[in-house]
Amino acid sequence: DADVTQTPRNRITKTGKRIMLECSQTKGHDRMYWYRQDPGLGLRLIYYSFDVKDINKGEISDGYSVSRQAQAKFSLSLESAIPNQTALYFCATSPSTGTGTDTQYFGPGTRLTVL
Amino acid sequence: AQKITQTQPGMFVQEKEAVTLDCTYDTSDPSYGLFWYKQPSSGEMIFLIYQGSYDQQNATEGRYSLNFQKARKSANLVISASQLGDSAMYFCAMREGSGFQKLVFGTGTRLLVSP
């Protein structure tokens, strides 16, 4: 089984709809992240969480919100989706500082299309 | 200013040959980490290799090695004995500092391996 899972894997929705993307991990990591990927722009950080009580905005948080329901679960919401939020969304996890290379491990991605 | 620069939008290599994917970075922090990720056409982000700024030796992982030239601020990925399955997008990323592990990604290089 994958260590980092994302649901749904693909979603098509309409402008103005509320969408939730979910991420679960079995790696036991404290830190979780949400990124979006647009063609030619690489990955950009939306939100990150160091633990259940710690949520922080990334570089492109406008239009998004998150919820850290448990150590293993981190959800991303689009309250009112708009077409320029069409992108590939990745969840990632990493261990806390001091436990190695701090490598981030990514889920398989959710391809979201907003019409 | 770009923190991570990947100047090669696309690279071609024949099977069994070696290929170098370029990455230059910009930071004034003495502590940082450099990562390479592979993204096949299926979309997932796969961690390949890590190099810490204080590491004395170049990182190696199987057929992957990182040519780390600190003075030039470059961290090129070398893939030896290319295989057809190496065809993918490759992203260089940097984590600055030893605390928060925000990753900054380059725009990627598409590698195509031909028979």
Side-chain angles (χ1 to χ4, degrees), chain B residues 13-90:
Chain B
V13 67
Q14 272 200 310
E15 206 176 0
K16 300 180 185 178
E17 292 186 349
V19 63
T20 298
L21 307 183
D22 294 342
C23 173
T24 57
Y25 59 92
D26 181 26
T27 182
S28 56
D29 198 316
S31 175
Y32 53 89
L34 297 156
F35 302 78
W36 277 92
Y37 286 86
K38 173 184 177 182
Q39 186 178 38
S41 57
S42 51
E44 69 268 33
M45 294 289 286
I46 302 167
F47 166 69
L48 295 178
I49 196 167
Y50 166 82
Q51 180 83 45
S53 59
Y54 294 121
D55 293 344
Q56 295 296 313
Q57 305 219 341
N58 287 346
T60 60
E61 288 287 348
R63 294 186 299 110
Y64 303 108
S65 61
L66 202 151
N67 184 2
F68 182 45
Q69 299 190 40
K70 201 168 182 177
R72 296 184 178 182
K73 293 188 175 179
S74 73
N76 299 338
L77 177 70
V78 180
I79 305 175
S80 63
S82 297
Q83 301 173 354
L84 296 178
D86 293 335
S87 293
M89 282 289 288
Y90 289 81

Side-chain angles (χ1 to χ4, degrees), chain A:
Chain A
D1 287 342
D3 294 320
V4 185
T5 57
Q6 292 182 234
T7 55
R9 294 293 313 279
N10 290 281
R11 183 69 183 269
I12 300 174
T13 191
K14 294 183 178 180
T15 297
K17 293 291 188 181
R18 184 179 187 274
I19 293 294
M20 179 180 284
L21 308 183
E22 298 186 345
C23 176
S24 295
Q25 54 115 346
T26 58
K27 298 183 78 69
H29 290 166
D30 289 326
R31 304 187 173 197
M32 298 187 74
Y33 310 80
W34 275 105
Y35 290 89
R36 68 177 276 175
Q37 183 181 25
D38 298 280
L41 292 178
L43 276 72
R44 293 179 294 165
L45 184 63
I46 306 173
Y47 270 95
Y48 61 99
S49 171
F50 285 177
D51 63 37
V52 175
K53 297 181 180 179
D54 182 85
I55 305 286
N56 303 279
K57 293 182 178 180
E59 60 183 304
I60 54 163
S61 59
D62 288 348
Y64 302 95
S65 63
V66 291
S67 173
R68 184 84 183 265
Q69 300 95 324
Q71 188 208 34
K73 295 184 182 294
F74 193 34
S75 300
L76 176 72
S77 294
L78 289 68
E79 296 301 325
S80 179
I82 56 176
N84 76 1
Q85 292 177 313
T86 293
L88 183 57
Y89 289 84
F90 286 102
C91 174
T93 74
S94 70
S96 300
T97 304
T99 55
T101 65
D102 308 329
T103 299
Q104 291 188 19
Y105 297 92
F106 286 78
T110 294
R111 191 168 297 280
L112 177 66
T113 303
V114 183
L115 301 176

